[in-house]
Amino acid sequence: MTAEACPAAVFLDRDGTVTEEVGYVNHVDRLKLIPGAAQAIRRLNETQIPVILVTNQAGVARGYFPESLVTEVHQRLTELLAAEHAHLDAIYYCPHHPTVGSPPYCQPCGCRKPDTGMVEQAIEDLNLHHRHFFVVGDKYSDIRMATRIGARGIFVLTGYGKGEYEMFSPSWKVQPDHIAADLLQATEWILQQLSRNNPAPPHTQEKQDGPQS
């Protein structure tokens, strides 16, 4: 399967999806890959499907760590993946919060998930137009973002996923297209859909926005 034969792209959440959920990653030593995550990303790399990380990092706005630490953490993430022969095609993060902190980080923005600014920037930067998009994450905000970009949303039960799904999914205005135990299982589902040449339409867009998570 080549990029030309399979015009798709996958957007991944970070904490709780690719890396272990530890609260705020305020030191590079706290960053740990979820078992199977590197293998999942490598599988997508092997099929030449772009893999893009999109992550909210409001710890910057909250003053928990400087923005420079986000860069250091992502460099460490790149190294951990490379050690397992996997790579991300791009990394985007939002350091903002709409009500907490000081300017320039305390501001309403278009990049904080479930808003779509990070994805839109990736589409332009990587020329991902006219592709079938998949979003994988452990929070409802990831699924909401998926609906807004016309992507198929896959909810993983790692990180906050299992608790959030069991407690709150009955009230969600839009449901995931698929529930997966982890990123590796989510990746296998994505590849199955694409191998069947079946990029079916995602769930319909939410009728009314709830509060941002």
Side-chain angles (χ1 to χ4, degrees):
M1 186 185 301
T2 66
E4 291 76 13
C6 177
V10 177
F11 295 91
L12 302 179
D13 175 50
R14 192 188 84 181
D15 304 322
T17 302
V18 176
T19 61
E20 293 183 359
E21 179 58 66
V22 296
Y24 288 95
V25 182
N26 58 2
H27 193 282
V28 292
D29 288 348
R30 301 191 73 197
L31 188 79
K32 308 292 181 185
L33 290 173
I34 290 175
Q39 180 184 350
I41 294 170
R42 185 170 67 246
R43 290 277 288 120
L44 295 169
N45 296 156
E46 289 168 351
T47 55
Q48 301 183 46
I49 297 172
V51 186
I52 302 100
L53 194 79
V54 288
T55 175
N56 288 350
Q57 292 299 319
V60 176
R62 293 178 182 276
Y64 296 161
F65 45 81
E67 188 172 359
S68 60
L69 181 65
V70 180
T71 301
E72 293 177 29
V73 167
H74 287 156
Q75 178 59 40
R76 177 61 175 157
L77 175 57
T78 299
E79 294 167 357
L80 291 174
L81 290 173
E84 299 198 43
H85 309 288
H87 70 271
L88 298 165
D89 291 272
I91 297 174
Y92 297 86
Y93 68 91
C94 171
H96 307 120
H97 192 282
T99 60
V100 176
S102 303
Y105 299 115
C106 178
Q107 61 163 296
C109 67
C111 54
R112 178 176 165 82
K113 294 185 291 185
D115 288 330
T116 59
M118 289 186 284
V119 171
E120 291 169 2
Q121 190 64 55
I123 291 170
E124 290 302 314
D125 292 346
L126 303 179
N127 192 25
L128 301 178
H129 302 280
H130 311 300
R131 298 202 179 209
H132 300 293
F133 296 144
F134 297 84
V135 173
V136 186
D138 69 319
K139 297 184 183 68
Y140 182 44
S141 57
D142 297 299
I143 303 308
R144 291 175 63 200
M145 185 185 73
T147 66
R148 294 179 179 186
I149 62 170
R152 301 180 80 176
I154 301 112
F155 192 86
V156 289
L157 300 180
T158 46
Y160 289 122
K162 187 173 184 178
E164 182 163 336
Y165 189 75
E166 290 181 356
M167 288 292 293
F168 303 115
S169 64
S171 65
W172 290 352
K173 295 179 174 65
V174 64
Q175 294 294 318
D177 292 278
H178 185 67
I179 308 295
D182 54 23
L183 179 57
L184 184 57
Q185 190 181 97
T187 296
E188 294 303 325
W189 184 80
I190 290 169
L191 295 175
Q192 287 173 7
Q193 306 311 300
L194 295 171
S195 68
R196 295 170 184 165
N197 194 26
N198 181 34
H203 280 119
T204 57
Q205 294 200 2
E206 58 191 331
K207 296 178 181 179
Q208 179 181 352
D209 287 343
Q212 283 196 357
S213 60

